[in-house]
Amino acid sequence: MDATVTVIDPVAALAELAPIGADPVRGGWSRHLLDDADRDMRAWFVRTAGSLGLTVETDANANQWATWAPEGATGPAVATGSHLDSVPGGGPLDGPLGVVSALAAVSRLIAEGHAPARPLMVANFAEEEGARFGVPCLGSQLLAGDIGTERVRRLTDAAGTGYPEVMMAAGYDPTTIGRDAARVAEMALYLELHVEQGCQLAPLGHPVGLATSILAHGRWRLTLTGRGDHAGATELVSRHDPMLVAGEAIRSARGHALGSAPETRSRATVGKLHVVPGGSNAIASEVRLWLDARAEHDADVRDLVARIVSDVEAAGLAEGCTVTVEEESFSTRVAFDQDLTDRVAAALAPGLGDVPRIPTGAGHDAGVLAAHLPTAMIFVRNPDGVSHSPLEGAAEPDIRTGVDALTDALRALTSERGT
Ligand code: GLV
Ligand code: MN
Ligand code: MN
């Protein structure tokens, strides 16, 4: 037993984070890469991991790492964690639950006197949601070398501020971003705990589940350009109104997703529009619209997007508007490591029964890392499945059960001898 370490209570830790980035306009929480809220979240990570005696560092890609490597812990580490950024007006758990649970689990292992055979690392991955620069899992993709650094250096946020300026303002060197082979090699495996997104566990009556796969998914930016004009003085027949084309895009996204074969589990969403100039008495000159499309396999997503774009192009032609389409991101289907998932399942308390294995439609850093090392995920029941919304939640007993499960899994995995 190590009585000098205070065991982190996950519910109390989430309550401590609740004021940070609370969004008075949208509701929920807005914490975006290196804005004030994200920096406060990062400071909390440093403080909390430091209070456990962990070594805390930030890598060149703005990911934070806290390492527990007591004497006797050798070889590649067991890594865990999640992210502390959010979507605009998101929920309290998507991201923070995984980081809080990871630090809570480490605090318990230290307090109980566990002697790990391998180091244990906790990650806070940067810009997982891609809410600021449009590319999801930016920190883990950079780390893994899955995205070109030149492309990242050209990214700008909604205010037109470039990624390099944001990094420099926070004290990072944007010339050193990119693949971090040493850090990837330092990890033997990655196990991420996350709040469930979608509602599969509640009907099954289980507080936790294990992930099997992630749908292929991507984001496309459509720029619809017409002719700005007066809402009252312009005859209907002489308009070139990109809002009509946007309407077609929104309807067509739902229609084609619904019309896809059920086994493709297709879904398509327009969740963000930018209208120029945005006056209530002006015909828009341009609409930028973001299409999020997901399906079981990469080809299903490509096919779905092609059908939607074809409708939008036809609507553009009819309205005398031009349509341009840019792919902002594409994430291929992920199958989690079955052997690691079996080892995690074997470590869980017998009282949890036969823990369900479920697929997800949400993207994760664990999905990015899956192409480079064995990864697995634990989901904590979300009673009504809502996420990316202030209504997202999990019951306190389930949050604690999630930490129990993660602690048991990390204890077992760090007891395996590293090579
Ligand atoms: C991230 O949560 C995503 O699936 O978009
Ligand atoms: Mn999310
Ligand atoms: Mn997440």
Short mmCIF file of all heavy atoms in Angstrom, two decimals, residues 19 106 112 120 190 195 197 213 241 271 280 287 290 294 328 351 398:
data_model
loop_
_atom_site.label_atom_id
_atom_site.label_comp_id
_atom_site.label_asym_id
_atom_site.label_seq_id
_atom_site.Cartn_x
_atom_site.Cartn_y
_atom_site.Cartn_z
N PRO A 19 -16.64 23.22 -14.73
CA PRO A 19 -16.70 24.65 -15.08
C PRO A 19 -15.84 25.02 -16.29
O PRO A 19 -16.03 26.08 -16.88
CB PRO A 19 -16.16 25.35 -13.82
CG PRO A 19 -16.12 24.31 -12.75
CD PRO A 19 -16.00 22.99 -13.44
N VAL A 106 -4.78 4.53 -12.47
CA VAL A 106 -3.35 4.54 -12.08
C VAL A 106 -3.23 4.86 -10.59
O VAL A 106 -2.45 4.22 -9.87
CB VAL A 106 -2.55 5.56 -12.93
CG1 VAL A 106 -1.11 5.63 -12.45
CG2 VAL A 106 -2.59 5.17 -14.40
N GLU A 112 -2.59 0.69 -4.17
CA GLU A 112 -2.67 -0.71 -3.69
C GLU A 112 -1.30 -1.39 -3.68
O GLU A 112 -1.20 -2.55 -3.29
CB GLU A 112 -3.67 -1.51 -4.54
CG GLU A 112 -3.17 -1.86 -5.93
CD GLU A 112 -4.23 -2.52 -6.83
OE1 GLU A 112 -5.43 -2.24 -6.63
OE2 GLU A 112 -3.83 -3.30 -7.70
N LEU A 120 3.44 2.31 -17.46
CA LEU A 120 2.04 2.61 -17.80
C LEU A 120 2.00 4.08 -18.21
O LEU A 120 2.49 4.95 -17.49
CB LEU A 120 1.18 2.35 -16.56
CG LEU A 120 -0.32 2.53 -16.61
CD1 LEU A 120 -0.94 1.89 -17.84
CD2 LEU A 120 -0.94 1.91 -15.37
N TYR A 190 -2.54 -0.09 -26.68
CA TYR A 190 -3.31 1.07 -26.20
C TYR A 190 -4.73 0.61 -25.88
O TYR A 190 -5.39 -0.02 -26.71
CB TYR A 190 -3.33 2.17 -27.28
CG TYR A 190 -4.13 3.40 -26.89
CD1 TYR A 190 -3.68 4.26 -25.89
CD2 TYR A 190 -5.34 3.69 -27.52
CE1 TYR A 190 -4.42 5.39 -25.54
CE2 TYR A 190 -6.07 4.82 -27.18
CZ TYR A 190 -5.60 5.67 -26.18
OH TYR A 190 -6.33 6.79 -25.83
N VAL A 195 -17.02 6.89 -23.02
CA VAL A 195 -18.47 6.78 -22.83
C VAL A 195 -19.06 6.17 -24.11
O VAL A 195 -18.61 6.47 -25.22
CB VAL A 195 -19.11 8.15 -22.50
CG1 VAL A 195 -19.02 9.13 -23.67
CG2 VAL A 195 -20.57 7.98 -22.07
N GLN A 197 -21.37 5.71 -27.21
CA GLN A 197 -22.06 6.66 -28.09
C GLN A 197 -23.02 5.84 -28.93
O GLN A 197 -22.59 5.02 -29.74
CB GLN A 197 -21.03 7.44 -28.91
CG GLN A 197 -20.10 8.24 -27.98
CD GLN A 197 -18.89 8.79 -28.69
OE1 GLN A 197 -18.01 8.03 -29.08
NE2 GLN A 197 -18.82 10.11 -28.82
N SER A 213 -15.36 -2.81 -33.52
CA SER A 213 -14.98 -2.14 -34.77
C SER A 213 -15.50 -0.70 -34.79
O SER A 213 -16.38 -0.33 -34.00
CB SER A 213 -15.56 -2.90 -35.95
OG SER A 213 -16.97 -2.93 -35.85
N ASP A 241 -29.31 30.92 -56.06
CA ASP A 241 -29.32 30.89 -54.60
C ASP A 241 -28.72 29.59 -54.07
O ASP A 241 -29.34 28.52 -54.15
CB ASP A 241 -30.78 31.04 -54.12
CG ASP A 241 -30.87 31.15 -52.61
OD1 ASP A 241 -29.85 30.91 -51.92
OD2 ASP A 241 -31.97 31.47 -52.11
N GLY A 271 -24.08 18.81 -40.43
CA GLY A 271 -24.22 19.40 -39.10
C GLY A 271 -23.70 20.81 -39.02
O GLY A 271 -23.81 21.46 -37.99
N SER A 280 -30.46 38.25 -43.24
CA SER A 280 -31.80 37.67 -43.40
C SER A 280 -32.52 38.25 -44.63
O SER A 280 -33.46 37.65 -45.14
CB SER A 280 -32.63 37.90 -42.13
OG SER A 280 -32.72 39.28 -41.88
N VAL A 287 -22.46 29.26 -49.82
CA VAL A 287 -22.71 28.43 -48.64
C VAL A 287 -21.61 27.38 -48.57
O VAL A 287 -21.33 26.71 -49.56
CB VAL A 287 -24.08 27.72 -48.70
CG1 VAL A 287 -24.26 26.79 -47.50
CG2 VAL A 287 -25.22 28.73 -48.76
N TRP A 290 -20.72 21.14 -44.47
CA TRP A 290 -19.88 19.98 -44.13
C TRP A 290 -20.73 18.72 -44.08
O TRP A 290 -21.73 18.65 -43.35
CB TRP A 290 -19.20 20.22 -42.78
CG TRP A 290 -18.02 21.15 -42.90
CD1 TRP A 290 -16.71 20.79 -42.96
CD2 TRP A 290 -18.04 22.58 -42.97
NE1 TRP A 290 -15.91 21.91 -43.07
CE2 TRP A 290 -16.70 23.01 -43.08
CE3 TRP A 290 -19.05 23.55 -42.96
CZ2 TRP A 290 -16.35 24.37 -43.17
CZ3 TRP A 290 -18.72 24.88 -43.06
CH2 TRP A 290 -17.37 25.29 -43.17
N ARG A 294 -20.70 8.00 -42.99
CA ARG A 294 -20.11 6.81 -42.34
C ARG A 294 -20.84 5.56 -42.83
O ARG A 294 -22.04 5.60 -43.12
CB ARG A 294 -20.24 6.93 -40.81
CG ARG A 294 -19.72 8.26 -40.30
CD ARG A 294 -19.68 8.35 -38.78
NE ARG A 294 -19.34 9.72 -38.40
CZ ARG A 294 -18.63 10.06 -37.33
NH1 ARG A 294 -18.19 9.13 -36.51
NH2 ARG A 294 -18.36 11.33 -37.07
N GLU A 328 -12.02 16.51 -46.31
CA GLU A 328 -11.24 17.02 -45.18
C GLU A 328 -10.57 15.89 -44.42
O GLU A 328 -9.52 16.06 -43.82
CB GLU A 328 -12.13 17.80 -44.21
CG GLU A 328 -12.42 19.21 -44.66
CD GLU A 328 -13.00 20.07 -43.54
OE1 GLU A 328 -13.55 19.52 -42.56
OE2 GLU A 328 -12.93 21.30 -43.68
N GLY A 351 -18.11 -10.77 -11.77
CA GLY A 351 -19.44 -10.21 -11.54
C GLY A 351 -19.98 -9.44 -12.74
O GLY A 351 -21.20 -9.21 -12.84
N ASP A 398 -22.10 3.47 -12.93
CA ASP A 398 -21.48 2.93 -14.16
C ASP A 398 -20.10 3.54 -14.39
O ASP A 398 -19.17 2.87 -14.86
CB ASP A 398 -22.37 3.18 -15.38
CG ASP A 398 -23.62 2.31 -15.36
OD1 ASP A 398 -23.74 1.45 -14.45
OD2 ASP A 398 -24.48 2.49 -16.24
#
